[in-house]
Amino acid sequence: MFNYLLIWVLYILVLVLILLVAKAAFQTMHLKKSGSINYLILQENLLEETAKLERTKEKTLLVEGLQKILFKRYFKIIEDILLMQKFIFDNYVN
């Protein structure tokens, strides 16, 4: 009688172990699937952000070029104003 009880307990323990292994396998497959989906989403986001970075770099280069042009024009205008002031001063002094 005690022998049959131990055999049933062993069968139940093996069954519980098999169920736990099946549960772990299912969770692993689910994790793999969700990980693959997240990986694809992250890849798409990376491509979008890389494209944004390229556009930002282009805009930055454009702005830097415009800034250089504006500073050159600004200093040219200041130079012209100073030359006009010098001309006016020389005419009033003489």
Side-chain angles (χ1 to χ4, degrees):
M1 184 70 153
F2 185 69
N3 224 1
Y4 290 122
L5 182 65
L6 284 177
I7 290 174
W8 278 104
V9 168
L10 285 176
Y11 281 139
I12 291 173
L13 287 175
V14 169
L15 181 64
V16 168
L17 184 62
I18 290 173
L19 290 175
L20 289 175
V21 168
K23 179 182 174 188
F26 176 74
Q27 286 178 343
T28 303
M29 289 189 318
H30 179 69
L31 222 92
K32 181 182 174 186
K33 185 178 179 181
S34 64
S36 297
I37 292 170
N38 286 339
Y39 176 73
L40 291 175
I41 291 171
L42 287 174
Q43 258 186 335
E44 290 175 7
N45 289 344
L46 178 64
L47 290 175
E48 289 174 8
E49 293 301 322
T50 304
K52 284 182 188 178
L53 176 65
E54 290 300 320
R55 288 192 302 267
T56 304
K57 282 182 181 179
E58 291 173 2
K59 289 177 183 177
T60 303
L61 289 175
L62 179 64
V63 168
E64 287 176 356
L66 289 174
Q67 182 184 15
K68 287 179 184 178
I69 291 171
L70 287 175
F71 273 127
K72 285 181 183 178
R73 287 184 182 171
Y74 176 71
F75 287 122
K76 176 67 175 149
I77 290 170
I78 289 178
E79 181 183 8
D80 290 343
I81 290 173
L82 290 174
L83 287 174
M84 282 177 29
Q85 286 178 347
K86 180 182 177 190
F87 177 73
I88 292 170
F89 182 72
D90 286 343
N91 282 340
Y92 279 120
V93 171
N94 290 334

